[in-house]
């Protein structure tokens, strides 16, 4: 088992933090700004990917509340991003991007994992672990979203 780098461990811990959240017609950019402040982790947008899908975070409105119970930041992010076809990757904080962009990066990085030296091998292993976390996060998010939708209907 790999030990996460300290900066990645900080983000993992922050995503597990339980919070109460209530957003009514709040721009996505403001929602993520509030989350960023709460967890002390920078959140940025992949402007190129969002622009290609004509998504403007200042115009996308979020309506979400955790209800009477607290919810993990991971779940809050899922519920505010998923309806818009968005997700995030851990990249010097959290980078909000499209799911297509994540899968494209994942595929590209897997093809690049042809190590030619011990140092490069170590670097590739760390990158592979990051990609594994992204893949698990996408699958976990998809299952959570499906369960929540089923519970609502």
């Amino acid at each position: 088992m790999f030990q996460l780098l300290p900066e990645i461990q900080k983000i993992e811990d922050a995503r597990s933090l339980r919070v109460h959240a209530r957003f009514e017609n709040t721009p996505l950019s403001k929602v993520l700004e509030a989350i960023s402040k709460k967890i002390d982790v920078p959140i940025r947008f992949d402007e190129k990917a969002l622009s290609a899908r004509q998504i403007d975070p200042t115009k996308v409105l979020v309506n979400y509340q955790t209800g009477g119970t607290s919810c993990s930041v991971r779940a809050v992010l899922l519920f505010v991003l998923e309806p818009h076809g968005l997700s995030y990757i851990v990249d010097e904080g959290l980078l909000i991007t499209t799911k297509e962009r994540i899968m494209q990066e994942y595929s590209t990085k897997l093809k690049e994992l042809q190590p030619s030296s011990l140092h490069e091998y170590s670097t590739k292993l760390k990158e592979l672990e990051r990609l594994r976390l992204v893949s698990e996060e996408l699958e976990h998010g998809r299952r959570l979203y499906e369960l929540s939708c089923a519970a609502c209907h």
Side-chain angles (χ1 to χ4, degrees), residues 57-148:
T58 64
K59 294 184 178 162
V60 171
L61 298 180
V62 173
N63 290 293
Y64 173 77
Q65 65 180 20
T66 56
T69 62
S70 64
C71 194
S72 71
V73 168
R74 176 181 283 115
V76 172
L77 287 168
L78 168 70
F79 289 117
V80 302
L81 297 173
E82 177 75 22
H84 308 288
L86 300 174
S87 192
Y88 62 91
I89 57 175
V90 175
D91 182 14
E92 297 177 17
L94 300 179
L95 178 66
I96 307 303
T97 190
T98 62
K99 290 181 180 184
E100 296 86 4
R101 173 74 175 91
I102 291 172
M103 294 313 294
Q104 181 182 43
E105 178 184 329
Y106 184 70
S107 296
T108 301
K109 294 291 185 182
L110 284 176
K111 290 175 188 171
E112 292 174 357
L113 289 175
Q114 303 297 323
S116 61
S117 70
L118 187 55
H119 173 71
E120 185 179 346
Y121 184 73
S122 174
T123 302
K124 299 288 185 183
L125 282 175
K126 289 175 186 172
E127 179 66 10
L128 185 58
E129 177 65 7
R130 185 181 77 78
L131 291 170
R132 184 190 63 77
L133 290 171
V134 167
S135 178
E136 284 180 4
E137 190 67 32
L138 285 171
E139 180 59 23
H140 177 73
R142 185 191 61 76
R143 285 192 308 251
L144 261 177
Y145 189 70
E146 287 173 355
L147 287 173
S148 71

